[in-house]
Amino acid sequence: MKQALVGFALLLLLALPGRAQSPETAAIKKALSQATTDTSRVLLLADLSATYRYSHFDSVLRYARDGLQLAQRIGYLKGEGRCLSRIGIILSERGNLPQALRTNLDALRLAEKSHDREAIARILNQTGLLYQALDDFRPALQYYFQSRAIYEGQQVGGYSQRISVLTNIGSTYVGTGQLDSAAYFLQQAYALTLQSQNKGYNCWGNPLPYVLREMGLLEAARKHPDKALAFYRRSAHASIPENDLRSLSRAYQYIAELYAMQHQADSSVYYARKALKVGLTLPFVIGIVRNSGLLSKAFQARQQTDSALKYMRIMVTAEDSLYNPQRIKRLDAIGFAEQRRLRQLEAERTQFEARTRLYALMAGLAVLILIVLLQWRSNYLQRQANSRLHRLHAQVTRQKEELTTQRDLLANMLQELKTTQSQLVLREKMASLGELMAGVAHEIQQPAKIIKDLAGVSVGLCQEMRVELPEGIYITAEQEMLDEMLLNLSQYQNKIAEHSQRVESIVRVMLEYSSNTPGPRQPTELNTLAHDYLRLAYQDLRAKNRQFDAELLAQLDPAVGSLEVVRHDLGRALICLFSNALYAVQQRQQLEGPGYTPQVKLSTRRTVSGVEICVWDNGLGIPAADRANIFEQFFTTKPIGEGTGLGLSFCHDIITRGHGGTLRVETQEGEFTEFIITLPLAVALPVS
């Protein structure tokens, strides 16, 4: 009855492809659908791949390759190593052991690079299984114990992985005939399995079917067939809810082999066929070899040649993929290379430890020698302390006097530097004032000429009026002519007053500019101030070079209005910026010739928090190497004799310290330069 129930469950399991997953698969798929980062998706794809390792090999490859591609695309070494190790599982199960070993070793290097201790332990466990499949137990045990040391020493991995490595160690000791050691590790694995039954498992699922099966193998080796059969049946029963087709195939295989040893041929053939059927669905190559060989021998004993030949062919095909001599050679070569690499690493580690011990010994000896020398020196110094004390006191007194003298000397030098700096500032101001005189003369010349002409006309009109007025009696026409003369005289006087104010304004600006005393803040129309200084600077350069012409552009925002500033300080800053702009376009004109049009643009703009004054030119621009130093004192890009290097430094101090604003520069070499002054509105007046 129990056999029938197990068989029915197996048929149901194989008939439902959607059931080819473990109980953990659904939860991992849900987490994958909700993952928000690529790294999480890679790890979840690796876990999802692991849930299909004993039920659907194609799904293992699909999800592992998807995760591997994503990990390689984003450069995620940890995820790349885990996905590659899942591919190694399938290569092993399908019998390509050399490629499986190579894949495992590649995954191991990636895990070591990313310091993924859990993956390192798992890959070592997988590599041990490769050697155990070929009954090469010594390297298998080495890998298992390395894996166990990581799991237990560093507390990584879940119950399934620790139980797996303990069971693998016990199973290997069964193969070597060390049954006491096998019983020790298998009992540990079984106890840990029972302890973890209600605590949930990760993607590696419930290890109970595997543990029960290997305990049955131990009982069979101890010549306890009834106990062995009971464990095998329990393993097969536990495999069904976990969809662990590999454990199910193995359990049936061990039952068939047990019945064959007891000469129960029919039962042996029945379970061998069931084991082979389950193994072919994966395909599980090692199980296929064992079960087809068992069936071939059984049918040979019955003299059923056709059936024996059929299963012999299946066995030969599977053995060729598993035990092919070329593959075995490649596997040995890969294993030998890995062992050589491990021995080399071990030798390097031993050499490093030996060098470390040697260096530590040498350091200890050096410290001991140093202590002895220090003690001797201390005694020696103690004996000479009194005599040296007097000499040191004399030296300290002498050094104190020297330091005092040097301090006074440095103070005098600092005062001289400050005086020199003040003189340089004054010379710079006077030099710039002298440069502006030509422009000022040009600006004053026109209103002065107009005043002179109008004054002459006014004198003529006054003389005519003196002649006409004594006559006393006027006809209407003469009266109208007299009124017209008086009107013209009044207009001329107004123009004289207007141009006189213009001359007075220019003179006042120059007096303010030349003033050496701190000026008060006063309401100032910024547009007018800036435009006047632009014209002064341009006329000054024109007076020096009549061949020079430039296009002056003005974009003045009426909303700028008035602002309380120190007029002559701000004027100095503007004159400096305008002069530099005109100098830059003049230099470029000399280089490029008639095809170039010099342009200097003045623009103003009112912002939410302040006022911007921009001075733009299409000159040579500022080289990138000089931009960081342009506001430093005594830095200049002009030839020797044409600049002191103080202009932009003073501009920066006037704007930032004097007015609490900012001065910055934007430039592109060979294209343009723009200086941008920003003044705060803290003392702004209402816009008129």
Side-chain angles (χ1 to χ4, degrees):
M1 183 62 181
K2 186 180 293 185
Q3 293 179 5
L5 287 174
V6 172
F8 176 74
L10 174 62
L11 291 174
L12 182 63
L13 185 65
L14 297 176
L16 297 174
R19 185 64 182 87
Q21 59 185 26
S22 73
E24 291 76 22
T25 304
I28 296 177
K29 282 186 175 180
K30 182 178 179 181
L32 180 61
S33 67
Q34 297 173 351
T36 57
T37 62
D38 286 340
T39 54
S40 299
R41 292 188 187 96
V42 170
L43 296 179
L44 288 170
L45 284 169
D47 289 346
L48 185 59
S49 171
T51 63
Y52 287 99
R53 71 194 184 284
Y54 293 149
S55 57
H56 199 264
F57 289 173
D58 290 340
S59 295
V60 175
L61 286 176
R62 171 193 164 191
Y63 291 116
R65 285 171 178 168
D66 289 348
L68 181 61
Q69 291 174 359
L70 179 57
Q72 289 173 340
R73 189 167 67 248
I74 65 176
Y76 186 36
L77 293 181
K78 178 179 178 180
E80 191 176 343
R82 291 198 178 192
C83 292
L84 201 61
S85 71
R86 307 305 190 255
I87 296 174
I89 294 175
I90 298 309
L91 292 171
S92 172
E93 296 293 341
R94 287 182 169 172
N96 193 348
L97 300 185
Q99 187 61 34
L101 179 58
R102 187 178 291 107
T103 303
N104 280 347
L105 295 178
D106 290 342
L108 182 62
R109 294 187 188 99
L110 290 170
E112 289 172 345
K113 276 187 179 180
S114 60
H115 306 290
D116 186 359
R117 306 302 298 170
E118 181 179 349
I120 292 172
R122 177 67 199 178
I123 296 167
L124 291 172
N125 192 18
Q126 287 177 202
T127 308
L129 285 170
L130 293 177
Y131 286 100
Q132 187 179 353
L134 294 174
D135 294 336
D136 193 355
F137 298 122
R138 189 175 63 83
L141 284 173
Q142 290 177 352
Y143 283 110
Y144 289 149
F145 278 110
Q146 290 179 41
S147 175
R148 177 180 177 234
I150 295 174
Y151 280 136
E152 295 184 356
Q154 302 186 15
Q155 296 297 313
V156 297
Y159 284 106
S160 297
Q161 293 157 287
R162 292 202 293 274
I163 293 169
S164 172
V165 74
L166 289 171
T167 308
N168 289 339
I169 294 172
S171 173
T172 306
Y173 277 130
V174 172
T176 61
Q178 297 171 272
L179 301 185
D180 291 339
S181 298
Y184 173 77
F185 286 102
L186 288 173
Q187 285 169 5
Q188 280 191 359
Y190 184 62
L192 191 57
T193 303
L194 296 179
Q195 178 185 341
S196 62
Q197 284 298 296
N198 298 323
K199 295 185 179 180
Y201 298 99
N202 54 20
C203 62
W204 302 104
N206 187 353
L208 182 61
Y210 179 38
V211 176
L212 292 171
R213 188 182 73 231
E214 297 306 320
M215 291 188 72
L217 195 65
L218 173 63
E219 295 300 332
R222 287 175 164 177
K223 309 300 183 184
H224 300 152
D226 294 337
K227 291 183 179 180
L229 187 60
F231 277 119
Y232 294 153
R233 293 188 187 281
R234 288 176 61 190
S235 174
H237 183 72
S239 301
I240 294 172
E242 292 294 320
N243 195 35
D244 187 350
L245 300 183
R246 185 180 184 278
S247 290
L248 186 63
S249 175
R250 275 289 202 179
Y252 288 155
Q253 172 198 325
Y254 290 163
I255 293 174
E257 290 174 348
L258 188 62
Y259 279 131
M261 291 173 60
Q262 295 176 344
H263 305 292
Q264 299 182 33
D266 292 339
S267 297
S268 176
V269 168
Y270 173 76
Y271 281 104
R273 280 177 167 171
K274 293 180 70 172
L276 182 61
K277 182 178 180 181
V278 176
L280 286 170
T281 61
L282 289 172
F284 174 42
V285 178
I286 296 176
I288 293 171
V289 170
R290 298 282 289 272
N291 290 296
S292 59
L294 190 62
L295 289 169
S296 177
K297 289 180 182 179
F299 284 113
Q300 282 181 358
R302 293 180 177 182
Q303 296 184 352
Q304 295 179 2
T305 309
D306 292 341
S307 297
L309 184 60
K310 168 188 171 183
Y311 290 112
M312 179 66 72
R313 287 173 180 168
I314 295 173
M315 182 186 70
V316 170
T317 302
E319 279 185 340
D320 184 61
S321 66
L322 185 62
Y323 300 113
N324 183 285
Q326 292 299 115
R327 288 190 174 184
I328 298 300
K329 287 181 180 179
R330 289 202 301 271
L331 182 64
D332 290 341
I334 296 169
F336 176 75
E338 177 63 13
Q339 291 298 324
R340 185 173 59 185
R341 186 182 74 88
L342 292 176
R343 285 196 298 270
Q344 184 178 358
L345 289 175
E346 182 65 22
E348 290 176 356
R349 186 182 65 82
T350 303
Q351 291 177 1
F352 175 76
E353 291 177 352
R355 285 197 301 270
T356 303
R357 286 194 296 270
L358 178 61
Y359 293 154
L361 181 61
M362 292 175 64
L365 183 60
V367 169
L368 183 60
I369 294 172
L370 181 62
I371 291 173
V372 173
L373 290 175
L374 288 175
Q375 185 65 35
W376 174 84
R377 186 172 181 271
S378 176
N379 294 335
Y380 176 77
L381 293 176
Q382 187 67 30
R383 289 192 301 268
Q384 296 186 345
N386 293 330
S387 61
R388 292 186 60 189
L389 184 60
H390 295 291
R391 292 196 301 271
L392 288 174
H393 184 268
Q395 290 177 1
V396 168
T397 303
R398 185 171 61 255
Q399 290 175 358
K400 179 182 177 181
E401 293 173 353
E402 292 175 356
L403 288 174
T404 302
T405 303
Q406 291 176 1
R407 181 199 63 190
D408 296 339
L409 180 60
L410 289 174
N412 293 333
M413 292 175 63
L414 179 60
Q415 185 62 37
E416 291 176 2
L417 284 173
K418 289 181 178 179
T419 303
T420 304
Q421 184 177 4
S422 301
Q423 292 173 353
L424 284 173
V425 172
L426 181 59
R427 288 179 184 176
E428 176 71 15
K429 288 166 57 177
M430 298 310 295
S432 61
L433 181 61
E435 291 177 356
L436 286 177
M437 285 300 101
V440 172
H442 182 276
E443 286 292 314
I444 292 177
Q445 183 180 10
Q446 185 176 2
K449 183 177 180 302
I450 293 173
I451 290 172
K452 179 180 177 182
D453 294 342
L454 292 177
V457 174
S458 299
V459 169
L461 288 173
C462 289
Q463 290 175 352
E464 291 179 13
M465 289 177 66
R466 283 196 208 96
V467 173
E468 297 292 337
L469 285 175
E471 298 179 2
I473 299 172
Y474 309 103
I475 61 177
T476 304
E478 292 173 340
Q479 181 68 36
E480 290 177 354
M481 184 179 66
L482 185 61
D483 291 340
E484 183 179 356
M485 292 172 64
L486 290 171
L487 178 61
N488 289 337
L489 181 61
S490 175
Q491 291 176 351
Y492 293 155
Q493 294 299 323
N494 288 335
K495 287 188 175 292
I496 289 171
E498 178 184 344
H499 287 284
S500 297
Q501 290 176 358
R502 172 65 177 157
V503 171
E504 181 185 0
S505 173
I506 293 172
V507 172
R508 185 177 67 252
V509 167
M510 295 313 301
L511 289 174
E512 290 175 350
Y513 184 84
S514 62
S515 174
N516 195 34
T517 59
R521 288 181 181 266
Q522 50 188 316
T524 303
E525 287 285 341
L526 293 183
N527 287 341
T528 303
L529 180 71
H531 195 255
D532 286 346
Y533 277 117
L534 175 60
R535 291 174 57 191
L536 285 174
Y538 177 63
Q539 293 300 335
D540 171 63
L541 188 57
R542 286 268 298 152
K544 298 175 183 176
N545 182 6
R546 287 295 179 184
Q547 304 300 321
F548 174 71
D549 284 306
E551 184 178 349
L552 302 183
L553 307 174
Q555 296 180 357
L556 305 177
D557 183 2
V560 168
S562 296
L563 197 69
E564 286 192 350
V565 297
V566 181
R567 289 173 57 90
H568 61 274
D569 283 351
L570 186 58
R572 290 170 187 163
L574 291 172
I575 283 290
C576 176
L577 296 181
F578 292 143
S579 299
N580 285 346
L582 291 166
Y583 178 84
V585 297
Q586 184 186 32
Q587 294 298 310
R588 184 172 177 182
Q589 186 182 44
Q590 293 174 359
L591 292 175
E592 298 189 7
Y596 166 70
T597 302
Q599 291 181 338
V600 176
K601 181 171 68 175
L602 167 66
S603 61
T604 60
R605 184 170 69 94
R606 188 176 183 121
T607 64
V608 176
S609 59
V611 172
E612 284 187 358
I613 304 174
C614 303
V615 180
W616 178 92
D617 68 79
N618 63 342
L620 294 173
I622 301 174
D626 296 337
R627 292 172 194 168
N629 304 317
I630 59 173
F631 294 125
E632 293 183 2
Q633 291 185 354
F634 306 109
F635 178 82
T636 181
T637 57
K638 296 180 181 179
I640 297 175
E642 293 190 21
T644 62
L646 293 172
L648 286 177
S649 173
F650 290 156
C651 289
H652 189 266
D653 288 346
I654 288 170
I655 300 303
T656 57
R657 297 181 183 178
H659 291 82
T662 61
L663 175 61
R664 69 181 192 276
V665 62
E666 295 179 359
T667 183
Q668 183 175 344
E669 189 171 357
E671 296 292 335
F672 72 93
T673 300
E674 183 175 21
F675 285 91
I676 302 168
I677 298 173
T678 303
L679 299 175
L681 288 177
V683 290
L685 296 178
V687 179
S688 60

